[in-house]
Short mmCIF file of all heavy atoms in Angstrom, two decimals:
data_model
loop_
_atom_site.label_atom_id
_atom_site.label_comp_id
_atom_site.label_asym_id
_atom_site.label_seq_id
_atom_site.Cartn_x
_atom_site.Cartn_y
_atom_site.Cartn_z
N GLN A 1 90.24 -127.30 100.99
CA GLN A 1 89.20 -126.72 101.83
C GLN A 1 87.86 -126.83 101.12
O GLN A 1 87.77 -126.75 99.90
CB GLN A 1 89.52 -125.25 102.12
CG GLN A 1 90.82 -125.03 102.86
CD GLN A 1 91.06 -123.56 103.14
OE1 GLN A 1 90.13 -122.81 103.41
NE2 GLN A 1 92.32 -123.15 103.08
N ARG A 2 86.82 -126.98 101.91
CA ARG A 2 85.48 -127.11 101.34
C ARG A 2 84.84 -125.74 101.21
O ARG A 2 84.91 -124.90 102.11
CB ARG A 2 84.62 -128.01 102.23
CG ARG A 2 83.30 -128.39 101.58
CD ARG A 2 82.48 -129.27 102.49
NE ARG A 2 81.31 -129.81 101.80
CZ ARG A 2 80.36 -130.50 102.40
NH1 ARG A 2 80.42 -130.76 103.69
NH2 ARG A 2 79.33 -130.96 101.69
N ARG A 3 84.17 -125.50 100.08
CA ARG A 3 83.49 -124.23 99.88
C ARG A 3 82.24 -124.19 100.76
O ARG A 3 81.44 -125.12 100.78
CB ARG A 3 83.08 -124.08 98.41
CG ARG A 3 82.31 -122.80 98.11
CD ARG A 3 81.84 -122.80 96.67
NE ARG A 3 82.96 -122.74 95.76
CZ ARG A 3 83.56 -121.63 95.39
NH1 ARG A 3 83.16 -120.47 95.87
NH2 ARG A 3 84.57 -121.67 94.54
N MET A 4 82.07 -123.08 101.46
CA MET A 4 80.92 -122.93 102.35
C MET A 4 79.91 -121.91 101.82
O MET A 4 78.73 -121.96 102.18
CB MET A 4 81.37 -122.51 103.75
CG MET A 4 82.33 -123.50 104.41
SD MET A 4 81.70 -125.20 104.47
CE MET A 4 80.27 -124.98 105.54
N GLN A 5 80.36 -120.97 100.97
CA GLN A 5 79.43 -119.98 100.41
C GLN A 5 80.01 -119.39 99.14
O GLN A 5 81.20 -119.54 98.84
CB GLN A 5 79.09 -118.88 101.43
CG GLN A 5 80.27 -118.04 101.86
CD GLN A 5 79.85 -116.93 102.82
OE1 GLN A 5 80.46 -115.86 102.85
NE2 GLN A 5 78.83 -117.17 103.61
N PHE A 6 79.15 -118.71 98.39
CA PHE A 6 79.56 -118.04 97.17
C PHE A 6 78.79 -116.73 97.07
O PHE A 6 77.57 -116.69 97.27
CB PHE A 6 79.25 -118.89 95.93
CG PHE A 6 79.65 -118.24 94.64
CD1 PHE A 6 80.94 -118.33 94.16
CD2 PHE A 6 78.72 -117.53 93.88
CE1 PHE A 6 81.31 -117.73 92.97
CE2 PHE A 6 79.08 -116.92 92.69
CZ PHE A 6 80.38 -117.02 92.23
N ASP A 7 79.51 -115.65 96.76
CA ASP A 7 78.89 -114.34 96.65
C ASP A 7 78.77 -113.97 95.17
O ASP A 7 79.76 -113.61 94.54
CB ASP A 7 79.73 -113.30 97.38
CG ASP A 7 79.04 -111.94 97.43
OD1 ASP A 7 77.97 -111.79 96.80
OD2 ASP A 7 79.56 -111.04 98.10
N PRO A 8 77.57 -114.06 94.59
CA PRO A 8 77.41 -113.74 93.16
C PRO A 8 77.56 -112.26 92.86
O PRO A 8 77.62 -111.86 91.70
CB PRO A 8 75.98 -114.22 92.85
CG PRO A 8 75.27 -114.14 94.15
CD PRO A 8 76.30 -114.47 95.21
N ARG A 9 77.64 -111.43 93.90
CA ARG A 9 77.76 -109.98 93.68
C ARG A 9 79.21 -109.54 93.65
O ARG A 9 79.49 -108.36 93.46
CB ARG A 9 77.05 -109.24 94.81
CG ARG A 9 75.60 -109.64 95.01
CD ARG A 9 75.10 -109.15 96.36
NE ARG A 9 75.90 -109.75 97.44
CZ ARG A 9 75.87 -109.32 98.69
NH1 ARG A 9 75.12 -108.31 99.01
NH2 ARG A 9 76.61 -109.91 99.62
N SER A 10 80.15 -110.46 93.81
CA SER A 10 81.55 -110.09 94.04
C SER A 10 82.13 -109.23 92.93
O SER A 10 82.72 -108.18 93.18
CB SER A 10 82.39 -111.37 94.20
OG SER A 10 81.92 -112.11 95.30
N ARG A 11 81.98 -109.66 91.68
CA ARG A 11 82.57 -108.91 90.58
C ARG A 11 81.99 -107.51 90.49
O ARG A 11 82.70 -106.52 90.32
CB ARG A 11 82.35 -109.66 89.26
CG ARG A 11 83.08 -109.04 88.08
CD ARG A 11 82.19 -108.16 87.22
NE ARG A 11 81.51 -108.92 86.21
CZ ARG A 11 80.79 -108.36 85.23
NH1 ARG A 11 80.66 -107.07 85.16
NH2 ARG A 11 80.16 -109.11 84.36
N HIS A 12 80.67 -107.40 90.65
CA HIS A 12 80.03 -106.09 90.56
C HIS A 12 80.50 -105.16 91.67
O HIS A 12 80.66 -103.97 91.47
CB HIS A 12 78.51 -106.26 90.61
CG HIS A 12 77.98 -107.10 89.49
ND1 HIS A 12 77.77 -106.60 88.23
CD2 HIS A 12 77.63 -108.42 89.43
CE1 HIS A 12 77.31 -107.56 87.43
NE2 HIS A 12 77.22 -108.67 88.14
N THR A 13 80.76 -105.70 92.85
CA THR A 13 81.26 -104.89 93.95
C THR A 13 82.63 -104.32 93.63
O THR A 13 82.92 -103.17 93.91
CB THR A 13 81.36 -105.75 95.23
OG1 THR A 13 80.06 -106.29 95.52
CG2 THR A 13 81.81 -104.90 96.40
N VAL A 14 83.49 -105.13 93.00
CA VAL A 14 84.84 -104.68 92.67
C VAL A 14 84.81 -103.56 91.64
O VAL A 14 85.40 -102.51 91.83
CB VAL A 14 85.69 -105.87 92.14
CG1 VAL A 14 87.00 -105.37 91.59
CG2 VAL A 14 85.91 -106.87 93.25
N VAL A 15 84.10 -103.76 90.54
CA VAL A 15 84.18 -102.79 89.45
C VAL A 15 83.44 -101.51 89.76
O VAL A 15 83.83 -100.44 89.32
CB VAL A 15 83.64 -103.40 88.14
CG1 VAL A 15 84.48 -104.58 87.71
CG2 VAL A 15 82.19 -103.80 88.25
N ASP A 16 82.37 -101.56 90.53
CA ASP A 16 81.61 -100.36 90.81
C ASP A 16 82.42 -99.36 91.62
O ASP A 16 82.27 -98.15 91.48
CB ASP A 16 80.32 -100.71 91.56
CG ASP A 16 79.30 -101.38 90.65
OD1 ASP A 16 79.49 -101.34 89.43
OD2 ASP A 16 78.34 -101.95 91.18
N ILE A 17 83.30 -99.88 92.49
CA ILE A 17 84.07 -99.00 93.35
C ILE A 17 85.14 -98.26 92.55
O ILE A 17 85.41 -97.09 92.76
CB ILE A 17 84.72 -99.81 94.49
CG1 ILE A 17 83.64 -100.32 95.44
CG2 ILE A 17 85.76 -98.99 95.25
CD1 ILE A 17 84.17 -101.23 96.52
N GLU A 18 85.73 -98.93 91.58
CA GLU A 18 86.89 -98.37 90.91
C GLU A 18 86.56 -97.52 89.69
O GLU A 18 87.19 -96.52 89.45
CB GLU A 18 87.82 -99.51 90.49
CG GLU A 18 88.35 -100.29 91.69
CD GLU A 18 89.22 -101.46 91.26
OE1 GLU A 18 89.11 -101.83 90.09
OE2 GLU A 18 89.98 -101.98 92.08
N ASP A 19 85.59 -97.93 88.93
CA ASP A 19 85.32 -97.23 87.67
C ASP A 19 83.88 -97.50 87.25
O ASP A 19 83.50 -98.64 87.03
CB ASP A 19 86.29 -97.72 86.60
CG ASP A 19 86.09 -96.99 85.27
OD1 ASP A 19 85.20 -96.12 85.20
OD2 ASP A 19 86.81 -97.31 84.31
N PRO A 20 83.06 -96.46 87.13
CA PRO A 20 81.66 -96.67 86.75
C PRO A 20 81.49 -97.37 85.40
O PRO A 20 80.50 -98.06 85.18
CB PRO A 20 81.10 -95.24 86.70
CG PRO A 20 82.03 -94.42 87.54
CD PRO A 20 83.38 -95.05 87.37
N ASP A 21 82.46 -97.20 84.50
CA ASP A 21 82.36 -97.81 83.17
C ASP A 21 83.08 -99.15 83.07
O ASP A 21 83.09 -99.78 82.00
CB ASP A 21 82.95 -96.86 82.11
CG ASP A 21 82.20 -95.53 82.07
OD1 ASP A 21 80.97 -95.55 82.27
OD2 ASP A 21 82.85 -94.50 81.83
N ALA A 22 83.67 -99.58 84.17
CA ALA A 22 84.49 -100.80 84.12
C ALA A 22 83.66 -102.02 83.77
O ALA A 22 84.12 -102.91 83.05
CB ALA A 22 85.20 -101.01 85.46
N GLU A 23 82.42 -102.07 84.26
CA GLU A 23 81.61 -103.26 84.01
C GLU A 23 81.30 -103.42 82.53
O GLU A 23 81.32 -104.54 82.01
CB GLU A 23 80.32 -103.18 84.82
CG GLU A 23 79.51 -104.47 84.78
CD GLU A 23 78.40 -104.48 85.81
OE1 GLU A 23 78.43 -103.67 86.74
OE2 GLU A 23 77.49 -105.31 85.66
N ASP A 24 81.05 -102.33 81.84
CA ASP A 24 80.81 -102.41 80.39
C ASP A 24 82.05 -102.89 79.66
O ASP A 24 81.96 -103.68 78.70
CB ASP A 24 80.40 -101.03 79.85
CG ASP A 24 79.03 -100.60 80.37
OD1 ASP A 24 78.23 -101.49 80.72
OD2 ASP A 24 78.78 -99.39 80.42
N ASN A 25 83.24 -102.45 80.12
CA ASN A 25 84.48 -102.89 79.49
C ASN A 25 84.71 -104.38 79.71
O ASN A 25 85.18 -105.09 78.82
CB ASN A 25 85.66 -102.10 80.07
CG ASN A 25 85.57 -100.61 79.75
OD1 ASN A 25 84.96 -100.22 78.76
ND2 ASN A 25 86.15 -99.79 80.61
N ILE A 26 84.36 -104.87 80.90
CA ILE A 26 84.51 -106.29 81.20
C ILE A 26 83.58 -107.11 80.33
O ILE A 26 83.95 -108.16 79.79
CB ILE A 26 84.23 -106.56 82.70
CG1 ILE A 26 85.35 -105.96 83.55
CG2 ILE A 26 84.10 -108.05 82.97
CD1 ILE A 26 85.11 -106.08 85.04
N ASP A 27 82.36 -106.65 80.16
CA ASP A 27 81.40 -107.36 79.31
C ASP A 27 81.93 -107.50 77.89
O ASP A 27 81.81 -108.55 77.26
CB ASP A 27 80.06 -106.63 79.30
CG ASP A 27 79.32 -106.76 80.63
OD1 ASP A 27 79.73 -107.61 81.45
OD2 ASP A 27 78.35 -106.02 80.84
N ASP A 28 82.53 -106.43 77.37
CA ASP A 28 83.09 -106.48 76.02
C ASP A 28 84.23 -107.50 75.95
O ASP A 28 84.37 -108.23 74.95
CB ASP A 28 83.60 -105.10 75.61
CG ASP A 28 82.46 -104.09 75.43
OD1 ASP A 28 81.31 -104.54 75.23
OD2 ASP A 28 82.72 -102.88 75.51
#
């Protein structure tokens, strides 16, 4: 299948919902 779009906010949307500190842990 051909890619039609990309959402650069996807990862931030996932981690913000589940754990406020998750993004810092991912960065590490």
Side-chain angles (χ1 to χ4, degrees):
Q1 299 181 36
R2 190 180 189 187
R3 178 185 294 276
M4 301 306 296
Q5 63 177 211
F6 180 84
D7 187 354
R9 305 164 300 166
S10 300
R11 187 262 273 188
H12 299 280
T13 302
V14 171
V15 297
D16 287 347
I17 292 175
E18 297 177 342
D19 182 0
D21 299 325
E23 188 168 343
D24 293 335
N25 296 333
I26 291 175
D27 289 346
D28 292 339

